[in-house]
CSV table of all heavy atoms in Angstrom, one decimal:
chain,number,residue,atom,x,y,z
Y,176,LEU,N,-8.4,15.2,9.5
Y,176,LEU,CA,-7.9,16.3,10.5
Y,176,LEU,C,-8.5,17.6,10.1
Y,176,LEU,O,-8.9,18.4,11.0
Y,176,LEU,CB,-6.4,16.3,10.5
Y,176,LEU,CG,-5.7,15.1,11.0
Y,176,LEU,CD1,-4.2,15.3,10.9
Y,176,LEU,CD2,-6.0,14.9,12.5
Y,181,ILE,N,-12.3,21.9,11.7
Y,181,ILE,CA,-13.5,22.8,11.4
Y,181,ILE,C,-14.7,22.4,12.3
Y,181,ILE,O,-15.3,23.3,12.8
Y,181,ILE,CB,-13.8,22.6,9.9
Y,181,ILE,CG1,-12.7,23.2,9.0
Y,181,ILE,CG2,-15.2,23.3,9.6
Y,181,ILE,CD1,-12.8,22.9,7.5
Y,183,GLY,N,-14.5,21.1,15.3
Y,183,GLY,CA,-14.2,21.6,16.6
Y,183,GLY,C,-14.4,23.1,16.8
Y,183,GLY,O,-14.9,23.6,17.8
Y,184,TYR,N,-14.1,23.8,15.7
Y,184,TYR,CA,-14.3,25.3,15.7
Y,184,TYR,C,-15.7,25.6,15.8
Y,184,TYR,O,-16.2,26.5,16.6
Y,184,TYR,CB,-13.6,25.9,14.5
Y,184,TYR,CG,-13.8,27.4,14.5
Y,184,TYR,CD1,-13.1,28.3,15.3
Y,184,TYR,CD2,-14.7,27.9,13.5
Y,184,TYR,CE1,-13.4,29.6,15.3
Y,184,TYR,CE2,-14.9,29.3,13.5
Y,184,TYR,CZ,-14.2,30.1,14.3
Y,184,TYR,OH,-14.5,31.5,14.3
Y,187,LYS,N,-17.4,24.1,19.3
Y,187,LYS,CA,-16.9,24.7,20.6
Y,187,LYS,C,-16.3,26.1,20.5
Y,187,LYS,O,-15.9,26.6,21.5
Y,187,LYS,CB,-15.9,23.7,21.3
Y,187,LYS,CG,-16.4,22.3,21.5
Y,187,LYS,CD,-16.9,22.2,22.9
Y,187,LYS,CE,-17.3,20.8,23.2
Y,187,LYS,NZ,-17.6,20.6,24.6
Y,198,GLY,N,-4.2,23.1,10.0
Y,198,GLY,CA,-2.8,23.3,9.6
Y,198,GLY,C,-2.2,21.9,9.4
Y,198,GLY,O,-1.5,21.7,8.4
Y,209,LEU,N,2.4,15.4,-2.9
Y,209,LEU,CA,3.8,15.3,-3.4
Y,209,LEU,C,4.2,13.9,-3.6
Y,209,LEU,O,4.9,13.6,-4.6
Y,209,LEU,CB,4.8,16.0,-2.4
Y,209,LEU,CG,4.7,17.5,-2.3
Y,209,LEU,CD1,5.6,18.0,-1.1
Y,209,LEU,CD2,5.1,18.2,-3.6
Y,210,SER,N,3.8,13.0,-2.7
Y,210,SER,CA,4.2,11.6,-2.8
Y,210,SER,C,3.5,11.0,-4.0
Y,210,SER,O,4.1,10.2,-4.7
Y,210,SER,CB,3.7,10.9,-1.5
Y,210,SER,OG,4.1,9.5,-1.6
Y,212,LYS,N,2.5,12.5,-6.8
Y,212,LYS,CA,3.2,13.0,-8.0
Y,212,LYS,C,4.5,12.4,-8.2
Y,212,LYS,O,4.9,12.1,-9.4
Y,212,LYS,CB,3.3,14.6,-8.0
Y,212,LYS,CG,2.0,15.3,-8.1
Y,212,LYS,CD,1.4,14.9,-9.4
Y,212,LYS,CE,-0.1,15.3,-9.5
Y,212,LYS,NZ,-0.7,14.8,-10.7
Y,219,ASN,N,10.4,8.0,-5.4
Y,219,ASN,CA,9.9,8.1,-4.0
Y,219,ASN,C,10.2,9.6,-3.6
Y,219,ASN,O,11.2,10.2,-3.9
Y,219,ASN,CB,10.6,7.2,-3.1
Y,219,ASN,CG,10.0,5.8,-3.1
Y,219,ASN,OD1,8.8,5.7,-2.9
Y,219,ASN,ND2,10.8,4.8,-3.3
Y,220,SER,N,9.2,10.1,-2.8
Y,220,SER,CA,9.4,11.4,-2.2
Y,220,SER,C,9.7,11.2,-0.7
Y,220,SER,O,8.8,11.1,0.1
Y,220,SER,CB,8.2,12.3,-2.4
Y,220,SER,OG,8.4,13.5,-1.7
Y,221,TYR,N,11.0,11.1,-0.4
Y,221,TYR,CA,11.4,10.9,1.0
Y,221,TYR,C,11.1,12.1,1.8
Y,221,TYR,O,10.8,12.0,3.0
Y,221,TYR,CB,12.8,10.5,1.1
Y,221,TYR,CG,13.0,9.1,0.6
Y,221,TYR,CD1,13.7,8.9,-0.7
Y,221,TYR,CD2,12.6,8.0,1.3
Y,221,TYR,CE1,13.8,7.6,-1.1
Y,221,TYR,CE2,12.7,6.7,0.8
Y,221,TYR,CZ,13.3,6.5,-0.4
Y,221,TYR,OH,13.5,5.2,-0.9
Y,222,PHE,N,11.1,13.3,1.2
Y,222,PHE,CA,10.7,14.6,1.9
Y,222,PHE,C,9.3,14.4,2.4
Y,222,PHE,O,9.0,14.7,3.6
Y,222,PHE,CB,10.9,15.8,1.0
Y,222,PHE,CG,10.3,17.0,1.6
Y,222,PHE,CD1,10.9,17.7,2.7
Y,222,PHE,CD2,9.1,17.5,1.2
Y,222,PHE,CE1,10.4,18.8,3.2
Y,222,PHE,CE2,8.5,18.7,1.7
Y,222,PHE,CZ,9.2,19.3,2.8
Y,227,GLU,N,5.3,13.5,6.6
Y,227,GLU,CA,4.2,12.7,7.1
Y,227,GLU,C,4.5,12.1,8.5
Y,227,GLU,O,3.6,12.1,9.4
Y,227,GLU,CB,3.8,11.7,6.1
Y,227,GLU,CG,3.3,12.2,4.8
Y,227,GLU,CD,3.4,11.2,3.7
Y,227,GLU,OE1,3.9,10.0,3.9
Y,227,GLU,OE2,2.9,11.5,2.6
Y,231,ALA,N,2.6,13.0,12.0
Y,231,ALA,CA,1.8,12.0,12.7
Y,231,ALA,C,2.4,11.7,14.1
Y,231,ALA,O,1.7,11.5,15.1
Y,231,ALA,CB,1.8,10.7,11.9
Y,241,ARG,N,-2.8,15.0,25.9
Y,241,ARG,CA,-4.1,15.6,26.2
Y,241,ARG,C,-5.1,14.5,26.6
Y,241,ARG,O,-5.9,14.7,27.5
Y,241,ARG,CB,-4.7,16.3,24.9
Y,241,ARG,CG,-6.0,17.0,25.2
Y,241,ARG,CD,-6.4,18.0,24.2
Y,241,ARG,NE,-5.4,19.0,24.1
Y,241,ARG,CZ,-5.1,19.8,23.0
Y,241,ARG,NH1,-5.8,19.6,21.9
Y,241,ARG,NH2,-4.2,20.7,23.0
Y,243,MET,N,-4.2,11.7,28.2
Y,243,MET,CA,-3.8,11.4,29.5
Y,243,MET,C,-4.3,12.4,30.6
Y,243,MET,O,-4.7,12.0,31.7
Y,243,MET,CB,-2.3,11.3,29.6
Y,243,MET,CG,-1.7,10.2,28.7
Y,243,MET,SD,-2.2,8.5,29.2
Y,243,MET,CE,-1.1,8.2,30.5
Y,244,GLN,N,-4.4,13.6,30.2
Y,244,GLN,CA,-4.9,14.7,31.1
Y,244,GLN,C,-6.4,14.6,31.3
Y,244,GLN,O,-6.9,14.8,32.4
Y,244,GLN,CB,-4.5,16.0,30.7
Y,244,GLN,CG,-3.0,16.3,30.7
Y,244,GLN,CD,-2.6,17.5,30.0
Y,244,GLN,OE1,-3.3,18.2,29.4
Y,244,GLN,NE2,-1.3,17.9,30.2
Y,249,MET,N,-13.0,11.4,22.6
Y,249,MET,CA,-13.2,12.3,21.5
Y,249,MET,C,-12.7,13.7,22.0
Y,249,MET,O,-13.2,14.2,23.0
Y,249,MET,CB,-14.6,12.4,21.1
Y,249,MET,CG,-15.1,11.3,20.2
Y,249,MET,SD,-14.2,11.3,18.6
Y,249,MET,CE,-14.8,12.7,17.8
Y,265,TYR,N,4.1,4.9,8.6
Y,265,TYR,CA,5.1,5.7,7.9
Y,265,TYR,C,6.5,5.1,8.3
Y,265,TYR,O,7.4,5.1,7.4
Y,265,TYR,CB,5.0,7.1,8.3
Y,265,TYR,CG,3.8,7.8,7.8
Y,265,TYR,CD1,3.1,8.7,8.6
Y,265,TYR,CD2,3.3,7.5,6.6
Y,265,TYR,CE1,1.9,9.3,8.2
Y,265,TYR,CE2,2.1,8.2,6.1
Y,265,TYR,CZ,1.4,9.0,6.9
Y,265,TYR,OH,0.3,9.7,6.5
Y,266,VAL,N,6.8,4.7,9.5
Y,266,VAL,CA,8.1,4.2,9.9
Y,266,VAL,C,8.3,2.9,9.1
Y,266,VAL,O,9.4,2.6,8.6
Y,266,VAL,CB,8.1,3.9,11.4
Y,266,VAL,CG1,9.3,3.1,11.8
Y,266,VAL,CG2,8.2,5.3,12.1
Y,267,TYR,N,7.3,2.1,8.9
Y,267,TYR,CA,7.4,0.9,8.1
Y,267,TYR,C,7.7,1.2,6.7
Y,267,TYR,O,8.6,0.6,6.1
Y,267,TYR,CB,6.0,0.1,8.2
Y,267,TYR,CG,5.9,-1.0,7.1
Y,267,TYR,CD1,6.6,-2.2,7.3
Y,267,TYR,CD2,5.2,-0.8,6.0
Y,267,TYR,CE1,6.5,-3.2,6.4
Y,267,TYR,CE2,5.1,-1.8,5.0
Y,267,TYR,CZ,5.8,-3.0,5.2
Y,267,TYR,OH,5.7,-4.0,4.3
Y,275,HIS,N,6.7,1.1,-3.5
Y,275,HIS,CA,7.3,0.1,-4.4
Y,275,HIS,C,6.5,0.2,-5.7
Y,275,HIS,O,5.3,0.5,-5.7
Y,275,HIS,CB,7.2,-1.3,-3.9
Y,275,HIS,CG,8.1,-1.4,-2.6
Y,275,HIS,ND1,9.4,-1.5,-2.7
Y,275,HIS,CD2,7.7,-1.4,-1.3
Y,275,HIS,CE1,9.9,-1.6,-1.4
Y,275,HIS,NE2,8.9,-1.5,-0.6
Side-chain angles (χ1 to χ4, degrees):
L176 292 176
I181 292 169
Y184 176 74
K187 301 265 185 174
L209 291 173
S210 181
K212 289 301 167 187
N219 277 307
S220 175
Y221 290 105
F222 170 75
E227 294 161 355
R241 186 165 296 155
M243 297 297 278
Q244 292 170 351
M249 277 300 286
Y265 295 139
V266 168
Y267 167 77
H275 299 283

